[in-house]
Amino acid sequence: MTTPPRPLALVTGASSGIGREIADRLAREGHDLVLAAEDEVGLAAAARRTGGRGVDVEQVVGDLRNGSAVEELAAAVGDRPVDVLVLDAGVGVGGPFVEQDVADVLSVVDLDVRSTVHLARLLLPGMVERARGRVLVLSSIAATMPGPHQAVYNASKSFVQSWAEALQRELSGTGVTVTSLMPGPVDTDFFARAGLVGSLMGKGPKDDPADVARAGVEALLAGKRKVYAASPLVKVVGGVNAVLPDGVKAVLHEQVAKLR
Ligand SMILES: NC(=O)c1ccc[n+]([C@@H]2O[C@H](COP(=O)([O-])OP(=O)(O)OC[C@H]3O[C@@H](n4cnc5c(N)ncnc54)[C@H](OP(=O)(O)O)[C@@H]3O)[C@@H](O)[C@H]2O)c1
């Protein structure tokens, strides 16, 4: 009797932070992996770690802000069915909108929004055709509030959150599920890369990326619609934000995101 092939998971943003932990967790769950990121060295280290779990790991290096890199990543999968698609790659940028570097702002749109939609559009049809697949979208608690001093980032997460919830409806009954992972502040490179280390948010308590990844992968494999992760405080903020007026949330966000 031949052993059935292991399921395949493709993870973007796999070189660090939440994506790296998600990749490791999926490897422990017995998935072969296609790992994508821009940083070759970080990606190779992540691949060594997941490969140590006894699964096959392929690395695809590319700047996903470019549509051609997204197409190359989708093509790297070849004919293999993708069972799990994790859309994690993302960056933020802090500061008042009119003072932000225009290239930094457009990077958020190109990576967090454009590449996410592009890769999903290339890989989802195959999943629907096979009537099998699980998609994890890295949204954020930021999707639940306007984000003064991080305006474009919060808007990008509102975009992917709305898009994921629409796909959940469109794909119901197809065998393909879409799960939105909504973390609060997580202890990764995110704040340094976004220039937000000096903000209250940057200095405040953060969740362990491994805990966030565990919650995300559990929700993904269970086919849940969304999960706030990982600490109880994040779940409380998610619940409270559902009823707070947007104007109040904007003032609160400004306080935590403003550089001190
Ligand atoms: N940390 C938080 O507080 C938090 C909270 C809620 C949601 N999130 C979301 O979680 C996701 C992962 O963030 P993280 O916190 O784990 O931060 P991170 O450690 O900085 O990870 C970001 C990942 O995205 C990849 N990436 C960045 N620019 C890229 C590009 N141009 N092309 C391809 N890949 C690129 C990075 O790869 P390279 O290093 O190779 O560039 C890295 O693997 C993001 O979508 C973020 O918005 C984070």
Side-chain angles (χ1 to χ4, degrees):
M1 212 168 75
T2 53
T3 328
R6 283 186 290 266
L8 181 70
L10 187 158
V11 183
T12 69
S15 62
S16 66
I18 302 167
R20 183 173 59 194
E21 296 301 330
I22 289 173
D24 189 54
R25 189 139 283 275
L26 287 168
R28 285 152 69 174
E29 299 280 346
H31 292 75
D32 286 339
L33 292 161
V34 175
L35 302 183
E38 195 186 7
D39 168 27
E40 201 168 347
V41 176
L43 190 61
R48 276 194 299 279
R49 181 180 175 207
T50 48
R53 307 280 183 201
V55 297
D56 294 336
V57 183
E58 184 180 343
Q59 303 165 53
V60 181
V61 175
D63 180 349
L64 294 179
R65 290 173 298 181
N66 300 326
S68 56
V70 176
E71 282 163 8
E72 281 163 25
L73 174 57
V77 172
D79 294 334
R80 285 173 297 166
V82 176
D83 296 280
V84 171
L85 173 61
V86 179
L87 300 163
D88 170 272
V91 289
V93 57
F97 178 67
V98 295
E99 293 173 20
Q100 286 171 328
D101 183 277
V102 71
D104 290 345
V105 169
L106 294 178
S107 283
V108 176
V109 176
D110 288 341
L111 183 64
D112 303 28
V113 176
R114 195 172 195 279
S115 83
T116 299
V117 171
H118 192 177
L119 188 60
R121 182 59 187 81
L122 294 176
L123 295 177
L124 264 173
M127 291 175 150
V128 172
E129 203 174 305
R130 292 186 296 276
R132 197 181 77 229
R134 303 230 181 271
V135 180
L136 187 66
V137 177
L138 251 295
S139 175
S140 169
I141 198 84
T144 66
M145 53 192 139
H149 290 254
Q150 205 187 211
V152 173
Y153 176 74
N154 282 42
S156 79
K157 292 302 173 183
S158 296
F159 180 103
V160 295
Q161 180 64 27
S162 170
W163 169 75
E165 290 184 23
L167 290 186
Q168 288 164 357
R169 178 70 207 146
E170 286 187 14
L171 298 176
S172 67
T174 65
V176 179
T177 59
V178 177
T179 302
S180 164
L181 173 55
M182 304 177 78
V186 188
D187 191 8
T188 68
D189 296 341
F190 177 87
F191 293 93
R193 288 179 110 156
L196 283 165
V197 172
S199 65
L200 285 182
M201 199 166 32
K203 294 176 195 162
K206 298 187 184 55
D207 283 331
D208 185 326
D211 294 338
V212 174
R214 186 185 320 109
V217 170
E218 275 172 15
L220 168 84
L221 297 180
K224 293 195 174 151
R225 287 168 178 266
K226 70 177 175 189
V227 58
Y228 292 108
S231 61
L233 180 62
V234 176
K235 295 179 198 302
V236 170
V237 172
V240 170
N241 276 356
V243 293
L244 266 189
D246 285 341
V248 174
K249 289 189 278 190
V251 171
L252 292 174
H253 192 282
E254 184 176 47
Q255 293 311 311
V256 296
K258 206 172 183 171
L259 295 182
R260 305 270 154 183

